[in-house]
Amino acid sequence: MKAARFTIPILGLAAAALSACSAGGPPTAPPSSTSTSGDVTASPAGSAQVSVPAGVPAGLGALPGLSSTGGASGTDALALLPANFPLPSGATGLYGGRTGGATAVVFTVPDVSAAIAFYRGALPKAGFPLAADSLGFPLGFTGSGITEGVIGVSGNAVGVSIYGTFTAVGEASASSGSTATPAGSPTTGGSSATGGTITIAQDSTPLTEACNNATVNLQGDSDDVTLTGSCQAINVSGDSDHVVVGSAGSVDLSGDADEVTVNSGSPAVTKTGNDDMVLAG
């Protein structure tokens, strides 16, 4: 691929980024960083910083894929993310666009520090392994057709920039005819899917979802999930999760110490984890 590659000063920015997030302000990059602003988390080699789109913090101005003109917002912005990409609770789309071979999505979150902790655990579980040098923050990642990706923060905004070939949320929804959501985006009493897939990647979250014959992939840990109606399948790869479901065609438990209660029917059960239980409601 001839597109510009990321320069990700992971170790140099780690302490500054984490310190600034906990203080609620922008990080200050060390002099050796390639960024032109203290908040910049990734910059394409040899590319100049562009004017940021309206509403996007200036600290994300060197994020590959941004353009000062055009772009999507709200749910349309989030729909540009890969179909199984995890989103922290409360994410609200600010900008989404594709420029110079990169896809960029920026969204706000209620708590940036919580988002940092969320992504460190949720990305690998969702099929996006962290880059070998991602010991701090920003985070580099690959996976699912992505050759290079990075997540960085500025203020209360999170920026995601991706090079590669992948199926976006909106494309998955259009091709399947179902309601597709980024992994981790369902909220209590919120979205539902008819058929299709519901992926839950956040940790320690109480959640209620209408199943509507969907396949549910539970990847987070210590979640308390209620699934109303009938599910095609329930696949639990996280640990210490508790699930209550109306009915299910199958239950597959590959995590440890998980418990699924099925209120009606007799699903096919597969258990490859430790200390897992499937109970009749």
Side-chain angles (χ1 to χ4, degrees):
M1 180 177 66
K2 296 182 179 180
R5 300 292 187 175
F6 290 135
T7 299
I8 309 174
I10 296 295
L11 297 178
L13 281 176
L18 289 171
S19 173
C21 287
S22 62
T28 301
S32 60
S33 169
T34 59
S35 65
T36 56
S37 168
D39 292 312
V40 172
T41 57
S43 59
S47 296
Q49 179 170 335
V50 300
S51 299
V52 296
V56 174
L60 293 175
L63 195 71
L66 289 179
S67 173
S68 59
T69 59
S73 61
T75 57
D76 289 338
L78 299 180
L80 294 178
L81 289 166
N84 55 337
F85 197 83
L87 273 178
S89 178
T92 301
L94 279 181
Y95 170 86
R98 297 185 176 102
T99 303
T103 297
V105 175
V106 179
F107 51 88
T108 59
V109 291
D111 187 334
V112 170
S113 297
I116 291 173
F118 167 79
Y119 272 120
R120 188 157 296 285
L123 281 173
K125 290 179 181 178
F128 302 94
L130 301 182
D133 57 351
S134 287
L135 302 179
F137 204 85
L139 290 180
F141 63 90
T142 57
S144 298
I146 294 170
T147 56
E148 292 176 303
V150 66
I151 300 176
V153 298
S154 178
N156 70 331
V158 177
V160 182
S161 189
I162 300 171
Y163 282 113
T165 302
F166 57 88
T167 301
V169 173
E171 295 167 343
S173 178
S175 63
S176 67
S178 64
T179 302
T181 57
S185 62
T187 56
T188 302
S191 63
S192 62
T194 302
T197 301
I198 298 173
T199 302
I200 302 169
Q202 63 261 51
D203 298 327
S204 305
T205 302
L207 185 68
T208 299
E209 280 294 315
C211 210
N212 292 338
N213 208 38
T215 294
V216 178
N217 298 320
L218 177 52
Q219 300 168 345
D221 299 328
S222 302
D223 291 316
D224 194 350
V225 179
T226 298
L227 299 169
T228 60
S230 177
C231 298
Q232 181 72 25
I234 300 173
N235 305 313
V236 183
S237 57
D239 300 327
S240 303
D241 292 310
H242 291 80
V243 180
V244 177
V245 60
S247 65
S250 66
V251 176
D252 186 312
L253 304 177
S254 58
D256 297 329
D258 295 311
E259 180 180 301
V260 177
T261 299
V262 183
N263 288 329
S264 64
S266 301
V269 175
T270 302
K271 294 189 291 184
T272 56
N274 299 312
D275 301 320
D276 293 321
M277 293 188 295
V278 177
L279 309 173

